[in-house]
Amino acid sequence: MGEIIKTIDNIQIGNTKLNIELNHSTSEQGNYEIHIQNEKFRLALPEKEFLQMASCFVLARKQMDLLKRRQTIQDAEKAEGTGEKADGLHK
């Protein structure tokens, strides 16, 4: 296991608290490792894979927010009974 360089963040998902740590590599290639862990769980990822995973989470969150906004607009249109979208165009 690589030596800790620094703790990047402490996060909570539901009732689970996790530490995210930047670590020196254990391989000869010398790439950093990111550890996501707590007392019951540990996930070690090369830095590149962690960044790919984190990007997927950010994109998924943006897509979820977009879908929620779209649903809110549709609900408001139904409540008004106008049959028009927020941009003024007919369905």
Side-chain angles (χ1 to χ4, degrees), residues 4-17:
I4 290 179
I5 297 171
K6 72 175 186 175
T7 298
I8 296 172
D9 204 355
N10 297 303
I11 63 171
Q12 185 164 340
I13 301 174
N15 293 329
T16 304
K17 294 180 181 180

Side-chain angles (χ1 to χ4, degrees), residues 6-10 19-23 33-35 50:
K6 72 175 186 175
T7 298
I8 296 172
D9 204 355
N10 297 303
N19 301 321
I20 303 175
E21 300 173 345
L22 178 64
N23 289 264
E33 285 188 357
I34 306 294
H35 294 176
F50 171 79

Side-chain angles (χ1 to χ4, degrees), residues 9-71:
D9 204 355
N10 297 303
I11 63 171
Q12 185 164 340
I13 301 174
N15 293 329
T16 304
K17 294 180 181 180
L18 297 165
N19 301 321
I20 303 175
E21 300 173 345
L22 178 64
N23 289 264
H24 288 287
S25 176
T26 56
S27 72
E28 294 177 10
Q29 295 174 344
N31 298 325
Y32 292 121
E33 285 188 357
I34 306 294
H35 294 176
I36 302 171
Q37 62 190 18
N38 64 15
E39 60 280 348
K40 296 180 182 178
F41 170 83
R42 181 172 172 271
L43 174 65
L45 297 165
E47 183 180 24
K48 182 178 178 180
E49 289 179 24
F50 171 79
L51 293 173
Q52 289 171 337
M53 185 177 71
S55 297
C56 289
F57 287 146
V58 170
L59 179 59
R61 176 60 189 251
K62 288 184 179 198
Q63 289 173 333
M64 184 176 65
D65 289 345
L66 178 63
L67 290 171
K68 283 182 176 182
R69 273 186 267 145
R70 189 175 294 161
Q71 186 63 47

